[in-house]
């Protein structure tokens, strides 16, 4: 039949053989689990993060091909990282720091401006510098959230950025085609970032989510990694946002918040 996709979705468990996956923010949480799964599916992986010791340990765990320690919000370093890659790469996942929550009264505008820069300009820069070094039908993958889809005190900035990213990703997918661009929108994911944000409330939050989420369990980084690898291998997917929150955004009570 003519006009069908050249590469159909596959369930082959070595479907990333001969592929290179770059994970920016790959030493912890969602990035590290995605690197681990991509490697298990046959990919070569390149990891970046800021802390070189943690990065080396992550690279050892997943047998990474190479690492680069730099702050991805420094756009000159980001450009140099992609320019210095010895060969074209197939997929790029971008994770990074946590969101900036603040009530309007307490908002530090300098920190808010940095957060806007870090999330929006870093996404644009990865798309420009990364897509130039990628080969189709690879995907750029960014991570946003579902928590900021609600309105609430302290959420004004994060809700604006949450709404902006799907729109940006859709336009980028048109602009850098045939490289694909997709967004993962996560709810609570049980990672070191969540542990740091919640402190001694972490166990109570996990218990609350187990009791209230439609899936009856907490979403972990391996769940997000599985979605990320699917987005890499299913070459029909571009310009879209994929929610992964165990049904958290469907809850109307407090459990629906972060
Ligand atoms: N966990 C959740 O519930 C959740 C929900 C929705 C969205 N997200 C988003 O998903 C992303 C990953 O979250 P996670 O929970 O996996 O966090 P995590 O466990 O803290 O991992 C973050 C990774 O990104 C690296 N990183 C942070 N800032 C960076 C920077 N400026 N430049 C380069 N690398 C940087 C960290 O290493 P270094 O610190 O050494 O740089 C680490 O490898 C974040 O953007 C977060 O906002 C998370």
């Amino acid at each position: 039949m003519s006009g069908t996709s050249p590469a159909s979705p596959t369930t082959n468990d070595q479907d990333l053989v001969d592929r290179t996956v770059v994970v920016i923010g790959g030493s912890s949480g969602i990035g590290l689990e995605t690197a681990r799964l991509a490697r298990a599916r046959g990919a070569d992986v390149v990891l970046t993060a800021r802390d070189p010791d943690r990065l080396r340990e992550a690279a050892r765990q997943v047998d990474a091909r190479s690492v680069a320690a730099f702050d991805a919000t420094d756009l000159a370093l980001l450009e140099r990282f992609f320019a210095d890659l010895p060969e074209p790469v197939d997929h790029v996942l971008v994770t990074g720091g946590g969101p900036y929550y603040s009530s309007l009264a307490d908002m530090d505008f300098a920190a808010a401006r940095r957060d806007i820069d870090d999330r929006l300009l870093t996404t644009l820069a990865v798309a420009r510098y990364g897509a130039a070094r990628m080969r189709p039908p690879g995907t750029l993958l960014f991570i946003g959230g579902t928590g900021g889809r609600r309105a609430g005190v302290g959420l004004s900035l994060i809700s604006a950025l949450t709404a902006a990213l799907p729109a940006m990703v859709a336009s980028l997918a048109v602009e850098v085609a045939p490289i694909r661009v997709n967004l993962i929108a996560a709810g609570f994911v049980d990672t070191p970032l969540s542990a740091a944000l919640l402190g001694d409330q972490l166990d109570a939050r996990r218990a609350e989510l187990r009791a209230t989420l439609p899936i009856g369990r907490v979403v972990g980084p391996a769940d997000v990694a599985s979605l990320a690898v699917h987005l890499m291998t299913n070459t029909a997917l571009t310009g879209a946002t994929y929610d992964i929150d165990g049904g958290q955004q469907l809850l109307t009570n407090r459990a629906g918040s972060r």
Side-chain angles (χ1 to χ4, degrees), residues 23-33 48-55 58 68-74 78 94-101 118-119 122 142-147 158 184-197 219 221 224 244 248 258:
V23 183
I24 294 179
S27 65
S28 172
I30 294 166
L32 178 57
E33 282 312 310
T48 88
R50 292 165 304 180
D51 181 324
D53 294 334
R54 213 157 57 130
L55 185 58
F70 67 99
D71 185 335
T73 65
D74 182 326
L78 195 60
V94 188
T95 81
Y100 178 64
Y101 294 101
D118 290 355
R119 282 169 198 283
T122 303
F142 298 99
I143 306 216
T146 57
I158 188 168
I184 292 172
F188 176 96
V189 185
D190 202 344
T191 66
L193 174 65
S194 296
L197 290 174
V219 174
V224 185
I244 178 161
Q248 191 178 347
R258 187 167 213 298

Side-chain angles (χ1 to χ4, degrees), residues 19-99:
R19 300 285 180 266
T20 301
V21 174
V22 172
V23 183
I24 294 179
S27 65
S28 172
I30 294 166
L32 178 57
E33 282 312 310
T34 302
R36 202 189 306 281
L37 183 59
R39 187 81 190 100
R41 300 271 282 262
D44 278 338
V45 299
V46 176
L47 303 184
T48 88
R50 292 165 304 180
D51 181 324
D53 294 334
R54 213 157 57 130
L55 185 58
R56 259 194 302 276
E57 170 53 22
R60 191 195 58 74
Q61 282 182 34
V62 303
D63 185 26
R65 187 175 79 190
S66 63
V67 297
F70 67 99
D71 185 335
T73 65
D74 182 326
L75 304 190
L77 295 180
L78 195 60
E79 180 177 18
R80 190 178 323 148
F81 164 72
F82 280 112
D84 287 349
L85 287 173
E87 289 166 5
V89 299
D90 295 282
H91 307 288
V92 177
L93 169 69
V94 188
T95 81

Side-chain angles (χ1 to χ4, degrees), residues 59-246:
R60 191 195 58 74
Q61 282 182 34
V62 303
D63 185 26
R65 187 175 79 190
S66 63
V67 297
F70 67 99
D71 185 335
T73 65
D74 182 326
L75 304 190
L77 295 180
L78 195 60
E79 180 177 18
R80 190 178 323 148
F81 164 72
F82 280 112
D84 287 349
L85 287 173
E87 289 166 5
V89 299
D90 295 282
H91 307 288
V92 177
L93 169 69
V94 188
T95 81
Y100 178 64
Y101 294 101
S102 170
S103 69
L104 190 56
D106 292 335
M107 190 173 286
D108 171 346
F109 286 131
R113 178 169 293 178
R114 268 197 309 278
D115 193 51
I116 294 167
D117 265 22
D118 290 355
R119 282 169 198 283
L120 299 185
L121 291 187
T122 303
T123 302
L124 293 172
V126 169
R128 183 198 280 182
Y129 304 133
R133 300 305 316 277
M134 290 169 69
R135 52 190 173 202
T139 187
L140 286 159
L141 280 178
F142 298 99
I143 306 216
T146 57
R149 290 186 187 159
R150 297 173 304 115
V153 173
L155 296 181
S156 53
L157 185 56
I158 188 168
S159 57
L161 294 171
T162 297
L165 276 179
M168 182 179 277
V169 158
S171 285
L172 289 174
V174 175
E175 194 158 352
V176 304
I179 300 300
R180 298 177 297 119
V181 190
N182 289 291
L183 179 68
I184 292 172
F188 176 96
V189 185
D190 202 344
T191 66
L193 174 65
S194 296
L197 290 174
L198 285 166
D200 60 8
Q201 301 299 305
L202 178 63
D203 283 337
R205 185 65 176 132
R206 285 174 174 150
E208 182 181 36
L209 288 167
R210 273 195 293 272
T212 54
L213 284 183
I215 62 169
R217 68 175 180 85
V218 177
V219 174
D223 295 308
V224 185
S226 175
L227 173 60
V229 166
H230 178 76
L231 294 170
M232 292 173 193
T233 55
N234 186 333
T235 60
L237 306 178
T238 195
T241 298
Y242 299 87
D243 293 4
I244 178 161
D245 73 345

